[in-house]
Amino acid sequence: MSAKETVAVGQLLELLESRYAIRVLWALRDGHAQTFRLLQDSVGGITPNTLNTRIKELREANLLTHGTDGYVVTAAGADLLKRLGDLQAFAVKWSTAQAKKAK
């Protein structure tokens, strides 16, 4: 991996490591717009102030936008979510392996 690629990955991970950032994107993965309140309910446990901050950061990163019906992921956000979909399959396998290891 080149230095430029390493920096890019680091920047993306820094954004996604922010509390609730991935959960906000994940709540919008089906492509349906959500109002602020619905998004807050979908994420669960997030304060309005934190949600506002995450929305601002994700909008600045061009991963999220606000349409006429509410918040939706952008094309870049949808691409990221598609790639994170592989994480779900990995997580299930990993969790199963961890459970077997604990027995």
Side-chain angles (χ1 to χ4, degrees):
M1 186 180 312
S2 72
K4 187 176 180 179
E5 290 169 329
T6 300
V7 169
V9 169
Q11 290 172 334
L12 178 61
L13 289 177
E14 184 178 336
L15 172 65
L16 296 178
E17 287 172 348
S18 297
R19 188 174 177 127
Y20 294 105
I22 291 177
R23 290 179 64 182
V24 169
L25 289 171
W26 200 254
L28 296 167
R29 72 186 177 279
D30 65 1
H32 294 101
Q34 293 190 31
T35 63
F36 184 91
R37 182 72 179 139
L38 183 56
L39 185 55
Q40 185 179 13
D41 290 345
S42 295
V43 171
I46 190 170
T47 65
N49 188 44
T50 300
L51 181 55
N52 272 322
T53 301
R54 291 305 154 255
I55 287 171
K56 180 182 176 192
E57 293 168 349
L58 293 168
R59 287 179 81 174
E60 288 173 356
N62 193 37
L63 297 174
L64 183 73
T65 191
H66 189 272
T68 56
D69 295 328
Y71 294 98
V72 293
V73 292
T74 61
D79 185 30
L80 174 61
L81 286 168
K82 179 182 171 194
R83 295 168 192 276
L84 288 174
D86 292 339
L87 185 64
Q88 183 178 8
F90 175 84
V92 171
K93 288 179 187 177
W94 176 81
S95 178
T96 301
Q98 293 300 306
K100 288 179 182 177
K101 189 171 140 181
K103 289 182 181 180

